[in-house]
Amino acid sequence: MIVAAAGARGGDGGAVVLVDAEGRDSAESHAALAAARLAVVPVTPEQADLSTRYQLIARLNAARMFNPGLHVLFVQVGGAGEPTDAERAVVRAYVAQVMSATLAGTVIHGQPPSDMDALCREVFTV
């Protein structure tokens, strides 16, 4: 698990701590979700398969039950072009499986840091 303090400030002026749980279901990721105010979950249309990603959905829903203040924000990751309507629909259906989750309007194209400024602006308005 990688933990880093970001240079940005949260909406309340406090420091932002980034935790990369690497998609693992571990005690550390459960603890991070229990303490977090925001979970940002990258997803591609290919990953938005309910049968193979059910554990992530269950983990996020459980975290919301123990941490009702947790905001879950999914971010679509795509190729060089904009996602098709069908790809957006698949991701929206996946996001709908997590209690009170939302889908970011920003789509990440390629490897970071592409589109990260737009995502940060969107995240810190949450």
Side-chain angles (χ1 to χ4, degrees), residues 13-39:
V16 174
V17 177
L18 304 174
V19 177
D20 182 355
E22 300 174 347
R24 294 188 183 134
D25 188 3
S26 64
E28 292 85 2
S29 70
H30 287 263
L33 288 171
R37 290 189 336 192
L38 172 68

Side-chain angles (χ1 to χ4, degrees), residues 36-96:
R37 290 189 336 192
L38 172 68
V40 179
V41 183
V43 64
T44 66
E46 295 79 23
Q47 292 174 323
D49 177 7
L50 296 177
S51 63
T52 60
R53 302 285 287 190
Y54 178 77
Q55 287 181 334
L56 175 61
I57 292 169
R59 188 171 358 139
L60 291 169
N61 282 330
R64 292 263 311 123
M65 293 176 74
F66 288 101
N67 180 1
L70 175 65
H71 181 79
V72 179
L73 178 68
F74 283 86
V75 180
Q76 187 164 347
V77 179
E82 288 299 310
T84 66
D85 289 342
E87 289 171 329
R88 288 181 192 271
V90 165
V91 171
R92 275 195 304 274
Y94 181 73
V95 171

